[in-house]
Amino acid sequence: MQPRRPPLPALLLSLWLLPRLALAAAAAAPADPEYNDVPGQPPAVGLPRGILQLAARAALHFFNYRAGSPSALRVLAAVQEGRAWVDPQKGCKVDLVFSTEQYNLEQEGEEHLGKCSARVFFKNEKPRPAINVTCTQLFDKVTRQEKDYLLYKQMKQLKTPLDIVSIPDSHGHIDPSLRPLWDLAFLGSSYVMWEKTTQFLHYYLVQLSSVKQLKTDDDSIDFDFTVLLHEFSTQEIIPCRIHLVWYPGKPLKVNYHCQELQSPEEGSGIVEGSAMAPNEFSNF
Amino acid sequence: MRGTQGGGRGPGLSPVDRRTLLFCNFILAVAWGRVNFTGDQVLRVLAKNEKQLSLLRDLERQKPQKVDFWRGPARPSLPVDMRVPFSELPSVKAYLKSHGLAYSVMIKDIQVLLDEERDAMAKSRRLERSTNSFSYSSYHTLDEIYSWIDSFVAEHSNLVSKINIGKSFENRSILVLKFSTGGPNRTAIWIDTGIHSREWITHATGIWISQKIVNAYGKDHVLKKILNTMDIFIEIVTNPDGFAFTHSMNRLWRKNKSSQPGIVCIGVDLNRNWKTGFGGNGSTKNPCSETYRGPAPESEPEVAAIVDFITSHGNFKAMISIHSYSQMVMYPYGHSLEPVPNHEELFDLANDAVKALYKVHGIQYIFGSISTTLYSASGITVDWAYDSGIKYAFSFELRDTGQYGFLLPASQIVPTAEETWMALRTIMKHTLNHPY
């Protein structure tokens, strides 16, 4: 996946914004009686550093999950405008405008940027931020449906049981024939990553580490697998077992269980996480 | 046994003396692999006088052929070496004994030696192949990198030397490349890659940059000026044990492999084990954590080796520690939000470095102090460097920003290295032009 250069004005703006977070927050904001501005305070007290980017990624995880389309996944290109508030009692609110690009750059498609605006609310270090996000259309609807259906057919043609070791491999390579598997895993992981994100913790998908089961005999794709997530601030690698059911055009059904960090006393590392009880088909 | 290479001259080429002919036949036979020398021995005989010498010559003339001289009978007091086929050994040894000719067994079984040598040659050809055609756009194993280092130093010995600065926890050598045009104890620049073993793009970048330096020295006038005044040190595999582990067992291993008695989890985050800011918020005391600081500052041999080397050198002016991923160029501090005294200069320099980087392939890096740009991190390399008096201390986070993360495709190695080089060059140039 080749990186790209976004248009220069957005670049300058985001470069300006990111290291100067405190200034952005101090810019004249409508006085909201419920939230305090954080003018001139060091970021550690109020706003976690990188909060704008973190919020944008969380919004995109949520957006990708709700769209339910493995061939229409978006990733963050650049934050263009951002504003964040912290209320020590309530939480952290972030308003954003950001650009996106399509995840699968090998795929044919116009190379243009989408645009999203979002409001993300972190309730005091709790995961599962509340998100309102709207995005301009990046993919033509018909094209997207066709691509989803093509992906669906490719999945059904995969010979099970699959002899998968890791995707991508150690050298970052993804076999093109296995790309649909990866995209679907990314879609399922988006749900997990959205749910686990807090204002201090954010995640990236590193690898599809194993496929437990892939059932494609019914209409839908029933996919049971484990991924490795990378949590950035702690640098931890978190294995998550994910089970999803997908059919093109239908809402994605996901449940998952992630392994928690080992403490020095527990040798085994199989600890029931506090907020990480398996979620049953968490659609609303 | 020497001299098995090279084609011999074929049989029928005369006039050559018989000894040479036999020797050549021997070589050809070996080369063609048609003859088996299992059990054949080489005996060394010391003839005391002319009489004994002629007895040995007689042995050679017998039919069927009983011996084949490698070092023929010439003068008394010069040893005679002869190959004796396995089937002839009893009779030849009896002959020598009965005539009072003392002998010793030089080679007990020629075939064993031939096999060993063939294996050794194949191995060195493999290694040679991998350096002559060493791929700068692939990821390599520890052995491949260490082998490349030896060849690289040999090929460019006028400019590069290898220094062993210590041993890792699992007793691997810790190696540093020194780029120098001479002069005693010049001011120096330090670059390290691979302190976190899963960040494979960094080792690959270190290797590419090493090659770049030797290639560009004659052509890049800025680099030439730098090397005419300063030395450059590059430590490519800063965490060899961790790196070996990423190949053998766990591609995403970050820490080193040190263990403590009674503690289940292993490994210390080498970038939390430095003295400055040790124990602060940006590290943990949980040995199972990825940012475990270790039992004490500099407890880890991989860190101690660098501290000792840089401290005893005493003349380092810049230190750049390379990581991935996030696309950032940063300066101290990581353990505190307090700006360093020359933060404005560092801000401007980081800005210049990022601009130079962007010009290569259009990749955006952000920049700033570590604590304000990345996160709070305590006991890190560059904080120590700065507090040790190294004013130009930078930490890089290379590509990408999360799409592949640590598993950056090999196709991005060269572009990443090319842009990183321009950023490094900017910092080195500034260091040269601002002596202190």
Side-chain angles (χ1 to χ4, degrees):
Chain A
M1 182 158 96
Q2 291 306 312
R4 271 203 234 113
R5 51 175 99 190
L8 208 49
L11 160 64
L12 286 174
L13 192 58
S14 58
L15 272 182
W16 181 86
L17 264 176
L18 291 162
R20 289 167 159 76
L21 195 53
L23 291 173
D32 187 330
E34 289 200 314
Y35 298 95
N36 300 323
D37 285 338
V38 198
Q41 276 186 18
V45 174
L47 294 164
R49 61 198 65 72
I51 186 72
L52 298 183
Q53 293 237 324
L54 185 157
R57 289 187 204 276
L60 273 176
H61 290 321
F62 181 74
F63 180 85
N64 284 328
Y65 155 64
R66 290 305 295 268
S69 173
S71 56
L73 299 164
R74 300 179 190 231
V75 290
L76 179 65
V79 175
Q80 290 164 326
E81 290 166 39
R83 188 163 286 163
W85 297 263
V86 172
D87 178 329
Q89 267 74 55
K90 297 213 171 173
C92 177
K93 183 170 79 170
V94 187
D95 282 350
L96 297 152
V97 175
F98 55 93
S99 58
T100 68
E101 53 191 23
Q102 64 183 69
Y103 178 59
N104 193 346
L105 289 172
E106 284 93 23
Q107 222 183 50
E108 281 141 41
E110 282 139 50
E111 253 193 47
H112 61 261
L113 298 175
K115 191 164 173 178
C116 302
S117 63
R119 168 166 284 191
V120 178
F121 180 64
F122 299 98
K123 191 163 183 180
N124 266 341
E125 301 192 39
K126 289 214 170 35
R128 210 167 194 260
I131 302 189
N132 260 317
V133 55
T134 40
C135 296
T136 58
Q137 198 172 291
L138 188 58
F139 304 96
D140 171 69
K141 185 172 181 183
V142 172
T143 315
R144 181 166 57 82
Q145 285 174 338
E146 280 173 3
K147 287 190 171 154
D148 274 353
Y149 194 66
L150 183 64
L151 193 148
Y152 170 77
K153 282 201 294 188
Q154 285 171 321
M155 295 283 293
K156 283 182 93 69
Q157 272 157 28
L158 286 171
K159 284 186 176 56
T160 54
L162 288 163
D163 196 19
I164 309 284
V165 183
S166 302
I167 302 172
D169 65 14
S170 287
H171 299 229
H173 176 71
I174 302 176
D175 192 302
S177 67
L178 299 174
R179 185 81 208 203
L181 213 61
W182 171 254
D183 287 342
L184 198 55
F186 186 93
L187 179 62
S189 304
S190 297
Y191 176 75
V192 179
M193 292 191 283
W194 159 55
E195 283 222 334
K196 288 174 73 63
T197 301
T198 72
Q199 72 246 52
F200 300 108
L201 301 175
H202 66 287
Y203 299 83
Y204 298 89
L205 175 61
V206 181
Q207 202 175 46
L208 170 60
S209 52
S210 74
V211 174
K212 297 282 183 274
Q213 185 163 254
L214 180 65
K215 283 195 290 193
T216 60
D217 15 287
D218 299 330
D219 275 346
S220 38
I221 309 272
D222 189 305
F223 188 20
D224 190 349
F225 57 98
T226 52
V227 293
L228 298 176
L229 302 182
H230 175 222
E231 197 293 303
F232 205 84
S233 62
T234 60
Q235 290 293 323
E236 297 295 333
I237 302 294
I238 319 265
C240 295
R241 174 89 178 258
I242 301 177
H243 175 227
L244 66 80
V245 178
W246 178 68
Y247 187 81
K250 294 230 174 103
L252 184 72
K253 295 181 182 160
V254 193
N255 66 23
Y256 68 93
H257 180 65
C258 295
Q259 200 171 303
E260 287 310 302
L261 175 65
Q262 226 173 333
S263 67
E265 295 80 38
E266 286 133 329
S268 61
I270 303 168
V271 178
E272 192 66 29
S274 52
M276 293 305 122
N279 296 280
E280 280 297 318
F281 302 139
S282 312
N283 299 326
F284 25 66
Chain B
M1 185 178 82
R2 299 283 169 262
T4 50
Q5 285 120 316
R9 284 175 286 178
L13 276 176
S14 60
V16 290
D17 74 61
R18 252 177 99 232
R19 182 157 56 96
T20 315
L21 187 60
L22 277 170
F23 186 61
C24 292
N25 279 340
F26 185 77
I27 291 172
L28 281 171
V30 171
W32 293 336
R34 283 188 197 158
V35 186
N36 194 320
F37 296 97
T38 303
D40 293 8
Q41 294 189 344
V42 173
L43 306 180
R44 173 166 284 183
V45 189
L46 215 63
K48 286 178 255 174
N49 49 43
E50 263 306 327
K51 180 166 183 254
Q52 289 195 332
L53 276 179
S54 72
L55 281 170
L56 286 172
R57 290 194 197 101
D58 286 345
L59 199 52
E60 199 200 11
R61 289 189 207 103
Q62 287 185 36
K63 294 269 192 294
Q65 189 192 352
K66 285 192 184 296
V67 303
D68 140 37
F69 286 118
W70 285 10
R71 201 213 290 253
R75 292 201 306 275
S77 83
L78 280 182
V80 175
D81 292 340
M82 55 195 195
R83 178 184 69 89
V84 184
F86 180 71
S87 55
E88 304 301 329
L89 273 172
S91 65
V92 167
K93 283 179 177 173
Y95 180 89
L96 293 172
K97 263 209 188 95
S98 70
H99 287 98
L101 285 156
Y103 68 90
S104 56
V105 179
M106 298 295 295
I107 300 175
K108 231 165 72 167
D109 186 336
I110 293 177
Q111 191 59 42
V112 168
L113 216 59
L114 279 174
D115 291 346
E116 280 173 20
E117 183 157 18
R118 195 185 317 127
D119 289 344
M121 280 165 62
K123 187 176 181 195
S124 85
R125 264 200 309 273
R126 243 182 283 128
L127 291 174
E128 259 175 61
R129 219 183 287 130
S130 71
T131 52
N132 287 340
S133 56
F134 183 88
S135 172
Y136 291 90
S137 54
S138 310
Y139 293 113
H140 292 282
T141 64
L142 187 64
D143 285 345
E144 286 168 356
I145 293 175
Y146 276 24
S147 162
W148 169 84
I149 284 175
D150 285 337
S151 301
F152 180 69
V153 167
E155 278 168 42
H156 303 283
S157 51
N158 58 323
L159 196 56
V160 196
S161 56
K162 172 180 98 171
I163 305 173
N164 187 321
I165 65 167
K167 294 277 192 191
S168 68
F169 185 83
E170 290 177 341
N171 212 34
R172 293 183 172 86
S173 295
I174 304 173
L175 304 176
V176 174
L177 291 174
K178 176 182 180 183
F179 299 78
S180 178
T181 60
N185 207 37
R186 288 182 167 176
T187 54
I189 294 160
W190 173 275
I191 299 170
D192 63 75
T193 56
I195 197 169
H196 290 141
S197 37
R198 61 192 179 197
E199 298 165 8
W200 280 17
I201 184 60
T202 68
H203 317 77
T205 295
I207 290 169
W208 187 94
I209 280 167
S210 301
Q211 178 74 341
K212 179 69 179 177
I213 290 173
V214 302
N215 281 343
Y217 172 68
K219 308 167 198 160
D220 178 348
H221 70 282
V222 169
L223 179 62
K224 193 161 192 164
K225 274 177 76 179
I226 292 167
L227 279 171
N228 284 347
T229 311
M230 307 180 78
D231 294 338
I232 300 173
F233 292 82
I234 302 184
E235 182 178 355
I236 294 176
V237 192
T238 305
N239 179 4
D241 298 348
F243 187 62
F245 200 56
T246 60
H247 280 274
S248 63
M249 291 292 288
N250 183 345
R251 173 60 178 84
L252 298 173
W253 190 260
R254 167 185 167 93
K255 304 186 282 182
N256 75 348
K257 295 292 295 311
S258 70
S259 61
Q260 296 165 71
I263 296 182
V264 175
C265 296
I266 60 169
V268 169
D269 184 343
L270 294 177
N271 200 29
R272 299 291 187 278
N273 187 245
W274 301 73
K275 205 177 266 174
T276 301
F278 181 89
N281 274 337
S283 64
T284 92
K285 64 175 182 349
N286 176 1
C288 301
S289 160
E290 295 282 23
T291 54
Y292 173 50
R293 60 179 78 118
E298 300 174 14
S299 58
E300 303 313 294
E302 297 87 358
V303 170
I306 301 175
V307 171
D308 291 345
F309 183 77
I310 289 183
T311 306
S312 42
H313 182 282
N315 217 5
F316 275 88
K317 299 300 174 188
M319 185 171 192
I320 302 146
S321 192
I322 301 186
H323 295 252
S324 76
Y325 56 92
S326 279
Q327 294 175 199
M328 297 172 176
V329 169
M330 298 174 288
Y331 45 85
Y333 287 118
H335 75 279
S336 158
L337 289 164
E338 172 206 334
V340 292
N342 68 331
H343 71 277
E344 282 166 357
E345 180 189 14
L346 295 180
F347 178 92
D348 289 339
L349 182 51
N351 195 359
D352 290 342
V354 157
K355 281 195 257 183
L357 187 153
Y358 178 81
K359 280 207 185 98
V360 184
H361 295 299
I363 302 301
Q364 302 160 245
Y365 273 49
I366 61 176
F367 63 97
S369 79
I370 293 159
S371 56
T372 58
T373 309
L374 185 61
Y375 43 46
S376 176
S378 315
I380 65 174
T381 310
V382 292
D383 284 4
W384 171 84
Y386 192 86
D387 279 8
S388 302
I390 300 174
K391 235 171 49 168
Y392 302 117
F394 288 90
S395 186
F396 280 38
E397 294 278 352
L398 302 185
R399 293 194 196 181
D400 58 15
T401 54
Q403 288 83 311
Y404 284 97
F406 303 120
L407 306 183
L408 195 71
S411 56
Q412 290 196 46
I413 291 174
V414 173
T416 302
E418 287 172 336
E419 66 200 16
T420 305
W421 166 245
M422 291 310 289
L424 289 172
R425 185 182 175 276
T426 304
I427 292 169
M428 295 197 292
K429 181 179 175 185
H430 184 94
T431 306
L432 174 73
N433 293 332
H434 297 81
Y436 61 95

